[in-house]
Amino acid sequence: MAVCLVSRTGRQHQRYDNLGRRQVVGCIPYRFKYGEDGVISGELEVLVITSQKGRAQGLMFPKGGWELDESLEQAALRESIEEAGVLGNVERELGKWNFLSKSQGTLYEGYMFPLLVKEQLELWPEKDVRQRIWMSAAEAREECRHWWMKEALDILVARLTSTMEQNEEEENVMSCSLS
């Protein structure tokens, strides 16, 4: 897959809702850690990024404006590439939040998606202005500066935990029926 190494800029192609709120889309890039034996351990890691002003401004998940020529999922993937340099599968929406931008003092409507990371790029559009950091979900919840992103992370963790528990139950049923 070819990746554009320039971020989209400007607001002339941004979407706004019927109340005039700018619509933004973000994602929570995640993966499962590998154990020393090379087998997936099941331990969840999420990727957070710094703001363009640096880590002192706190950590967050990739997000940005939803543009007129994109679906929500396309915008989520674009933001993950531009800001965090990762590619993957955009999964089912985590939710929609209305929040006040502290820097702009305006209301926004934000959508969040999980992104199961398949590839981490060495070069990406905002490589020189952001750092990316893999950490546990608990650490990310502590470090993340936006309440609505923390809520999205809680939803993702609950969803993945439920899926993993369901898979374990199915494996137990299978092994019981084979015995």
Side-chain angles (χ1 to χ4, degrees):
M1 171 185 220
V3 175
C4 179
L5 293 177
V6 178
S7 293
R8 289 186 173 191
T9 58
R11 301 247 165 106
Q12 65 272 25
H13 300 291
Q14 300 277 296
R15 289 181 190 247
Y16 293 83
D17 70 7
N18 58 357
L19 298 175
R21 294 178 295 206
R22 183 170 170 236
Q23 295 176 305
V24 297
V25 182
C27 65
I28 301 176
Y30 76 94
R31 67 184 182 191
F32 293 99
K33 259 179 120 166
Y34 282 89
E36 292 182 21
D37 56 1
V39 176
I40 293 177
S41 71
E43 185 182 339
L44 175 66
E45 289 185 307
V46 295
L47 185 66
V48 293
I49 58 171
T50 60
S51 91
Q52 289 186 354
K53 296 175 184 151
R55 190 163 180 164
Q57 297 294 314
L59 299 175
M60 67 186 104
F61 296 110
K63 68 117 179 83
W66 177 19
E67 300 199 353
L68 296 171
D69 64 343
E70 302 174 301
S71 68
L72 282 167
E73 294 82 2
Q74 288 169 329
L77 182 58
R78 178 180 49 79
E79 289 298 334
S80 74
I81 294 167
E82 287 179 0
E83 295 186 354
V86 290
L87 297 167
N89 300 334
V90 176
E91 299 175 341
R92 187 169 44 96
E93 182 181 314
L94 295 166
K96 177 175 87 170
W97 288 264
N98 293 311
F99 62 94
L100 182 65
S101 165
K102 291 178 184 171
S103 62
Q104 304 294 320
T106 56
L107 283 175
Y108 285 71
E109 182 177 74
Y111 298 84
M112 290 293 286
F113 291 84
L115 178 91
L116 178 56
V117 174
K118 297 294 184 185
E119 184 178 353
Q120 188 167 303
L121 304 172
E122 293 302 316
L123 296 173
W124 70 96
E126 298 185 17
K127 180 184 191 321
D128 294 333
V129 294
R130 294 186 191 274
Q131 293 177 342
R132 60 183 179 193
I133 305 153
W134 285 101
M135 60 179 56
S136 72
E139 291 171 311
R141 193 175 197 302
E142 283 293 315
E143 296 282 338
C144 185
R145 71 184 207 180
H146 299 299
W147 65 268
W148 60 282
M149 288 184 173
K150 290 180 184 192
E151 285 186 7
L153 178 59
D154 291 344
I155 293 167
L156 175 60
V157 168
R159 184 184 291 175
L160 293 173
T161 301
S162 173
T163 301
M164 288 170 65
E165 288 171 354
Q166 190 174 17
N167 289 344
E168 286 174 11
E169 285 177 22
E170 288 173 5
E171 287 174 13
N172 289 338
V173 168
M174 290 285 286
S175 65
C176 288
S177 64
L178 295 175
S179 321

